[in-house]
Amino acid sequence: MAIVVQRRDYSLLGAESKRAEEKGLASGEWHQTPIPRKTMKELMKRKDGPAIRDTLIWFIGLIVLGTLAYMSWGTWWAVPAFFLYGIFYATPGDSRWHECGHGTAFKTQWMNDVVYHFACFVILRSATPWRWSHSRHHTDTIIVGRDPEIITARPPVWKILWMQIIHLYGGPIEIKRFILHTFGKLEDQEKEYIPASEHYKVFREARIYMLIFLAVIAACMFTGSILPAMFIILPTFYGFLLVLTFGVTQHLGLYEDVLDHRLNTRTFYTNPIFRFLYWNMNYHTEHHMFPMVPFHALPKLHEEMKHDCPAARPSLGAALKEVIGALRKQKNDPSYVVVKPLPETAIPYRFGPNESNQLRSEA
Amino acid sequence: MAEWVEVCDEDEIDVEDVIRFDEGDRSFAVYRTDKGDYHATDGFCTHGKFHLSEGLVMGKQIECPKHNGRFDIPSGAAVRVPACIDLQTYPVKVEGGMVYIQI
């Protein structure tokens, strides 16, 4: 007999949003690992150096890989060359969008803003709407009906995940939004988290994006080739693999509706290349608990928090295996979640405002 | 009528630092900027109701610990989204080595 699973309403305008407010989950008080103020001040210190270095590496990498891709056009070598260019275009685009959006990457604010806008275009995310959406994501992390950045519902919608390998789910949604914004309109859901005073920025940015889109399309028509689009716009799609891979490790397979980032956010160790591309966001529990700490200080923050957190997953592969295993189990049992044991030195998990949410599966 | 309330010893607040000060059911943030000046504002970020005392003082700005919104400390003006609403500021004086705010 087929199992019928009732899916919750993940929209920000439905019954779950009200329910979250009634349960005290909206804008709730989250668990924080106690860290001495002096240490925290050191960790929060801003620097320009690391981000300037990494931005230069990113741009130089794009030029080198882009040149190789251009030279290989028309041969089979173009496949790996463009794949690498796409990965190097989209992955740092995503992580730089994120960190510069927080304003923590550079000490100098205009540098954060310049890289933020550049990265937003690279990853095809409207700058102002995503700034506000991400702010809500941090207020109400994985609270159903409140968080606009939940990748997939429980049970998972596999079609979305498969399509996202080449950004075919999120990409068209974003383009549809650009068009809407170009004409001075917002989705109803966006009005939930973008204040009216910011709407003009949304429309202005969308119009600039549209001009760039039109210029690239014109260049393709003029040259009679898709080559211009292969360097700008299309890499967001064909280079999306690592963005998705990193993205699914952040929260999937973990708890919804809790006020403890140790329960709904995953940290894993990985190699220096991935840490460069992802800008240390593999320390994701740390980032959510203390979004003031810049990317370059997250490994140190991790050391300070270890005593209060479940063990980090040993690798990206281990994190992915855990995610996929949990999603497969959630197909038949949406309440299944992975909970890792805490060390003896840790403060107990905070499941909710009334500590009543005890549905759990030990991993 | 506004009254002066004792907060702490002047050297209890480092340069480029902030402390939390509660009086009755109200919470304030008392700062010392990079120039060594003392200032006071409401204690909570106007965007997300988080204690600014857990944030970071940079020069004469305070950054909220939760969403990285920023305020100009002397004027209380919101200078970086998601903070959009200004903070209320309060007069501060240092007398006899003690910091006072007028509330």
Side-chain angles (χ1 to χ4, degrees), chain A residues 46 101-103 109 139 292, chain B residues 17 63-64 67-68 70 80:
Chain A
R46 305 299 155 80
H102 278 282
Q109 191 50 36
T139 305
M292 296 277 290
Chain B
D17 206 359
E63 183 171 301
C64 168
H67 301 106
N68 313 97
R70 290 183 197 163
R80 183 175 190 275

Side-chain angles (χ1 to χ4, degrees), chain A residues 36-110:
Chain A
R37 172 83 185 151
K38 229 176 186 171
T39 311
M40 206 57 213
K41 266 185 80 178
E42 272 306 304
L43 290 167
M44 289 191 292
K45 258 191 190 158
R46 305 299 155 80
K47 292 178 188 172
D48 282 333
I52 289 174
R53 176 200 65 205
D54 287 0
T55 304
L56 286 174
I57 294 172
W58 184 27
F59 288 166
I60 291 167
L62 282 177
I63 291 167
V64 171
L65 290 170
T67 306
L68 290 175
Y70 179 78
M71 287 164 64
S72 65
W73 187 242
T75 74
W76 282 106
W77 286 108
V79 176
F82 272 98
F83 176 72
L84 286 178
Y85 175 80
I87 293 285
F88 213 71
Y89 178 99
T91 320
D94 183 50
S95 55
R96 276 59 176 171
W97 155 78
H98 174 262
E99 184 75 0
C100 293
H102 278 282
T104 49
F106 297 88
K107 184 178 180 184
T108 307
Q109 191 50 36
W110 69 262

Side-chain angles (χ1 to χ4, degrees), chain A residues 28 30 32 37 41 44 46 100-104 109 131-132 135 138-139 198 201 261 288 291-292, chain B residues 14-18 47 50 53-56 58 63-68 70 80-84:
Chain A
W30 289 74
Q32 270 197 331
R37 172 83 185 151
K41 266 185 80 178
M44 289 191 292
R46 305 299 155 80
C100 293
H102 278 282
T104 49
Q109 191 50 36
R131 202 190 280 279
W132 286 92
S135 173
H138 271 268
T139 305
E198 296 277 293
K201 284 190 202 167
H261 292 112
H288 264 273
M292 296 277 290
Chain B
D14 294 335
V15 170
E16 281 199 303
D17 206 359
V18 52
H47 165 252
F50 290 91
S53 57
E54 289 169 28
L56 179 68
M58 294 178 289
E63 183 171 301
C64 168
K66 186 70 175 175
H67 301 106
N68 313 97
R70 290 183 197 163
R80 183 175 190 275
V81 292
C84 294

